[in-house]
Amino acid sequence: MSKHQATYALCDVNSFYVSCERMFRPDLYGKPVIVLSNNDGCIIALSDEAKALGIQMATPYFEARSIIQKHKVICFSSNYGLYGDISKRFNWVLEQHCDQVASYSVDESFMRFEGFDDDLTQRAQTIRSELWRTLSLPVCIGLGPTKTLAKVANHFAKKHKATTHGVVDLSIPKIREWALKQIAVPKIWGIGRQLSKKLIMQGIHTAWDLHNADYKTLQRLFSVNMERTILELRGQPCLTFSELPAPKKSILNSRSFGKPLSTYSDLKEAVAHHTSRCCEKLRNQSSLASSITVFLYGQRKELVYYNRPSITLQLPEPTDDTSIFLQAVEQGLRRIVKPGESYKKAGVMLNGIVDSRGYQPDIFEAVPQRPELMQSLDKINRRYGQDTVKFGSLGFAKNWAMRANSCSPHYTSRWQDILKVS
């Protein structure tokens, strides 16, 4: 490959949530470990040792309880604050070794290399060693001339860790051909289950078949995204490399409660919490919103929420001020809560989102904007921890909080949870 041509890499942390828990608990290495979802409902992460016992991803905890107890599997409630902080540190390490980094999810990121004269496979091994040395994170890295091929390479790096040492490069045409012949169509990045069925009807069963297909014909049959996928498999970059995610057009925050709630004060606290989180996300992407939807889920009956009241409140003008949205949701909540009714879940969603930069308010319908106050609030909470300073309506009781009976300490974001070495 020409040194002037960019190379892409996908770095993926193996069993990320489990790896985060083991980072501060080295005694867990070699032992079966699982991490549970919200309210300790389902298994969302497993160590290799847990997989070897036959435990499956997404299995409800109660169904796996007997095997968990029999083999003394260590269980953790999900600790998203910890995982998010470790993810930021993971990306910071990657930034020291490449031109650009684009976070794809909490546990994987794309890297872009251009103009590097050294052996990128060796550089990838150096990155793996550095992540293990600094963060105790085991990773696999896939390299290729496009993001799609980097994704395929990463798949083989994870599947054949022992022989590849966690790094695979598909820049070499012969290796690329061999790899694409092993990948079934449903496994290709961007090809879903329904689309793969249609491709199979066209006689396309593997990534290599798709690589050799007439992209113009498939573009007419499907979409321009299909054409891009084929060209990416051929080594022609078509997908943009964005370091920053595109601003969201709607922002949602919701959670199931740890127990059913019927008290208005508890429901108000929960909705206020979700509103505050949404407004933080809104300001983080430099946006304003003009409406907010509040919704509740009643008790489930035969796996269906039979009572789902909601209300949408329109503001006179877009804003990012948390207090204005809190006033609106309190009015809305009073109109949808039924006395004596129990609720299992609540949430809010912001809509009518616009860019705050350059926005011209209506001088006749002006909503009071307090950017300095919101900036100060965010700055304090980023430095000293979430909700160090908060609005009174968020309360302190948190009777609505999810079950998290086995949550690990917040080692990196709470002073009281920092490890003490004696």
Side-chain angles (χ1 to χ4, degrees):
M1 178 180 292
S2 168
K3 68 180 182 180
H4 299 296
Q5 184 176 346
T7 297
Y8 299 87
L10 180 66
C11 185
D12 181 20
V13 184
N14 305 329
S15 301
F16 179 67
Y17 292 171
V18 171
S19 297
C20 289
E21 298 293 352
R22 282 175 163 172
M23 184 185 301
F24 299 94
R25 291 280 308 276
D27 59 301
L28 298 179
Y29 285 104
K31 297 179 181 179
V33 180
I34 64 172
V35 177
L36 304 174
S37 64
N38 293 337
N39 276 318
D40 294 345
C42 296
I43 298 167
I44 57 173
L46 310 93
S47 65
D48 289 339
E49 296 80 6
K51 293 175 184 176
L53 297 174
I55 302 174
Q56 300 290 321
M57 183 75 79
T59 302
Y61 174 74
F62 72 89
E63 290 184 8
R65 185 182 287 116
S66 59
I67 191 170
I68 289 170
Q69 294 175 345
K70 178 180 178 181
H71 295 280
K72 298 181 180 179
V73 178
I74 295 95
C75 302
F76 286 98
S77 303
S78 48
N79 186 344
Y80 296 119
L82 174 66
Y83 308 151
D85 188 63
I86 299 304
S87 180
K88 292 176 184 177
R89 295 168 190 238
F90 161 69
N91 282 303
W92 183 85
V93 174
L94 297 184
E95 288 168 359
Q96 313 310 306
H97 295 273
C98 62
D99 294 310
Q100 295 173 289
V101 173
S103 178
Y104 181 61
S105 66
V106 70
D107 64 341
E108 56 184 330
S109 293
F110 283 101
M111 294 179 284
R112 188 174 185 271
F113 303 90
E114 187 168 10
F116 284 75
D117 294 326
D118 58 340
D119 183 348
L120 290 182
T121 299
Q122 185 56 49
R123 179 174 284 268
Q125 291 291 359
T126 300
I127 294 171
R128 291 186 74 238
S129 299
E130 186 71 5
L131 284 166
W132 179 255
R133 184 184 70 83
T134 57
L135 295 174
S136 299
L137 292 179
V139 304
C140 289
I141 300 176
L143 295 157
T146 68
K147 291 174 72 175
T148 302
L149 287 172
K151 189 82 170 173
V152 174
N154 181 268
H155 168 79
F156 282 98
K158 293 178 70 175
K159 188 176 181 180
H160 304 287
K161 280 183 283 191
T163 55
T164 65
H165 304 291
V167 177
V168 168
D169 187 356
L170 293 187
S171 299
I172 302 170
K174 286 187 178 180
I175 298 177
R176 188 189 313 165
E177 178 180 344
W178 175 86
L180 294 181
K181 287 179 177 178
Q182 314 302 313
I183 297 286
V185 165
K187 296 289 185 181
I188 302 172
W189 186 38
I191 305 293
R193 185 181 303 174
Q194 296 302 319
L195 194 54
S196 64
K197 291 178 181 178
K198 296 177 181 178
L199 288 172
I200 291 171
M201 291 175 65
Q202 299 287 328
I204 298 171
H205 299 272
T206 67
W208 183 248
D209 293 336
L210 188 60
H211 168 283
N212 294 326
D214 184 340
Y215 64 86
K216 286 297 181 185
T217 299
L218 292 183
Q219 188 265 335
R220 288 194 296 269
L221 288 173
F222 299 102
S223 70
V224 70
N225 289 331
M226 179 64 72
E227 178 183 1
R228 289 172 181 159
T229 297
I230 295 171
L231 292 175
E232 285 257 326
L233 291 174
R234 294 181 181 181
Q236 300 178 39
C238 296
L239 302 176
T240 59
F241 191 91
S242 176
E243 295 184 84
L244 296 174
K248 296 180 179 179
K249 296 181 179 179
S250 63
I251 297 176
L252 171 71
N253 207 81
S254 67
R255 290 289 185 276
S256 295
F257 305 139
K259 59 183 179 181
L261 298 178
S262 57
T263 306
Y264 175 78
S265 58
D266 290 335
L267 293 169
K268 177 185 171 184
E269 272 193 26
V271 170
H273 169 84
H274 296 315
T275 302
S276 180
R277 295 291 88 83
C278 280
C279 290
E280 288 172 9
K281 296 174 185 177
L282 186 70
R283 292 191 291 272
N284 283 340
Q285 67 174 38
S286 300
S287 297
L288 309 172
S290 59
S291 72
I292 184 167
T293 298
V294 187
F295 59 88
L296 300 170
Y297 283 10
Q299 286 281 64
R300 288 199 300 182
K301 185 177 182 181
E302 297 180 356
L303 302 180
V304 177
Y305 291 101
Y306 66 91
N307 180 22
R308 299 174 60 175
S310 66
I311 186 170
T312 298
L313 302 119
Q314 192 73 33
L315 300 182
E317 201 174 43
T319 183
D320 62 3
D321 192 315
T322 303
S323 65
I324 294 174
F325 284 110
L326 288 173
Q327 293 173 29
V329 297
E330 183 174 356
Q331 296 175 21
L333 191 64
R334 290 187 181 278
R335 292 160 63 179
I336 61 175
V337 171
K338 294 181 179 179
E341 186 78 46
S342 292
Y343 299 94
K344 185 62 178 172
K345 183 178 181 180
V348 301
M349 182 166 64
L350 299 181
N351 286 302
I353 293 178
V354 297
D355 194 329
S356 64
R357 292 160 293 196
Y359 177 77
Q360 295 295 321
D362 186 332
I363 61 173
F364 298 108
E365 292 284 350
V367 173
Q369 305 284 353
R370 300 179 293 176
E372 295 83 5
L373 176 61
M374 294 298 106
Q375 289 170 11
S376 299
L377 180 70
D378 292 339
K379 187 174 181 179
I380 291 170
N381 288 332
R382 276 195 298 268
R383 180 170 182 178
Y384 297 104
Q386 197 172 70
D387 290 341
T388 299
V389 177
K390 63 181 181 179
F391 288 89
S393 55
L394 272 69
F396 295 94
K398 288 195 173 182
N399 293 325
W400 52 270
M402 296 180 295
R403 286 193 303 274
N405 298 325
S406 305
C407 191
S408 57
H410 292 71
Y411 299 105
T412 64
S413 57
R414 287 183 184 170
W415 287 106
Q416 63 269 31
D417 288 344
I418 292 177
L419 286 175
K420 297 178 178 65
V421 180
S422 59

